[in-house]
Amino acid sequence: GAVVSQHPSRVICKSGTSVKIECRSLDFQATTMFWYRQFPKQSLMLMATSNEGSKATYEQGVEKDKFLINHASLTLSTLTVTSAHPEDSSFYICSARRGMGYGYTFGSGTRLTVV
Amino acid sequence: GESVGLHLPTLSVQEGDNSIINCAYSNSASDYFIWYKQESGKGPQFIIDIRSNMDKRQGQRVTVLLNKTVKHLSLQIAATQPGDSAVYFCAETGGGNKLTFGTGTQLKVEL
């Protein structure tokens, strides 16, 4: 079956620093990858959609200069949280899709804590 | 700090009973719906899906019902087990590529 690997699973960083999260599709090529953020006891909120080789499309209210997304290959997308602050602490989850008509495969998530 | 949000609605059931988790959606263009299970600290796990040209689909111990007239989706879990305890989310595509999640329901299975 389709497998998505997300790394790291947990990260603690100091306020003001940047953190990169990787999302890899291990056994399929993902034309589209999605990034979500989830606060405790809440649902997954879509942050952005990225298609391989093109700029990501961000949801309303998500700062594109703060959450940098790169989808340079069909198997890898990265999310960089720049100048992280404590309010960015959250659970970040990626999802990958082979294409329209295919299912969505989720990574295991990254717990980001900014201190 | 983190946003303060609403607590997830909770459904408590006895082990062995059937569980029914409900979801309402608003986008009449939605044509693909998925139920996910999420355990604490993990990503969502696919349970079952249904397309808008169907009103019922069954899997192993799970059934999804879709009522497009009232924009309602339900997940039925037969003979609920302790391992079914988790948060359950419905999600829909709105007719496009983006997957939007519902608010979620915490299922607690009591022994």
Side-chain angles (χ1 to χ4, degrees):
Chain A
V3 178
V4 170
S5 173
Q6 188 172 339
H7 179 80
S9 57
R10 289 179 177 272
V11 59
I12 300 173
C13 71
K14 291 185 177 180
S15 187
T17 63
S18 296
V19 172
K20 180 183 285 188
I21 303 169
E22 291 190 349
C23 180
R24 293 180 184 273
S25 55
L26 298 185
D27 52 0
F28 67 100
Q29 294 186 322
T31 57
T32 308
M33 287 189 172
F34 307 87
W35 287 95
Y36 292 83
R37 179 168 52 182
Q38 185 179 32
F39 292 111
K41 303 293 185 183
Q42 294 189 33
S43 186
L44 284 75
M45 298 302 296
L46 181 65
M47 299 174 67
T49 301
S50 73
N51 293 296
E52 185 266 340
S54 61
K55 290 184 178 181
T57 302
Y58 290 80
E59 295 300 301
Q60 190 172 8
V62 178
E63 301 174 58
K64 62 179 181 180
D65 294 330
K66 180 169 185 62
F67 299 99
L68 301 180
I69 292 172
N70 183 286
H71 192 167
S73 77
L74 284 170
T75 59
L76 174 65
S77 177
T78 61
L79 167 68
T80 301
V81 183
T82 62
S83 187
H85 291 284
E87 57 265 31
D88 298 323
S89 297
S90 189
F91 192 52
Y92 293 86
I93 308 170
C94 72
S95 173
R97 196 181 195 195
R98 198 189 308 261
M100 292 294 285
Y102 289 90
Y104 299 79
T105 304
F106 284 82
S108 53
T110 297
R111 172 73 59 193
L112 170 64
T113 303
V114 185
V115 298
Chain B
E2 295 171 336
S3 300
V4 176
L6 297 173
H7 287 290
L8 292 169
T10 299
L11 173 65
S12 294
V13 298
Q14 292 290 322
E15 180 181 7
D17 287 351
N18 296 334
S19 303
I20 300 177
I21 300 171
N22 297 301
C23 179
Y25 65 96
S26 58
N27 190 341
S28 57
S30 295
D31 58 359
Y32 182 47
F33 304 85
I34 311 171
W35 278 101
Y36 287 95
K37 173 186 181 183
Q38 186 182 31
E39 296 175 300
S40 182
K42 298 183 179 180
Q45 175 188 351
F46 174 90
I47 301 174
I48 192 168
D49 59 0
I50 190 168
R51 297 198 180 274
S52 59
N53 60 351
M54 303 174 70
D55 52 22
K56 180 179 180 179
R57 191 157 187 237
Q58 289 183 291
Q60 187 177 14
R61 279 203 309 122
V62 294
T63 300
V64 54
L65 299 177
L66 174 62
N67 185 330
K68 294 181 290 293
T69 302
V70 296
K71 298 189 184 68
H72 184 267
L73 195 68
S74 69
L75 175 70
Q76 300 177 4
I77 304 174
T80 312
Q81 302 168 0
D84 295 327
S85 293
V87 178
Y88 290 80
F89 292 98
C90 65
E92 47 93 7
T93 61
N97 197 23
K98 296 191 296 186
L99 194 62
T100 302
F101 282 75
T103 53
T105 298
Q106 173 83 57
L107 177 64
K108 293 187 176 179
V109 181
E110 299 170 346
L111 302 178

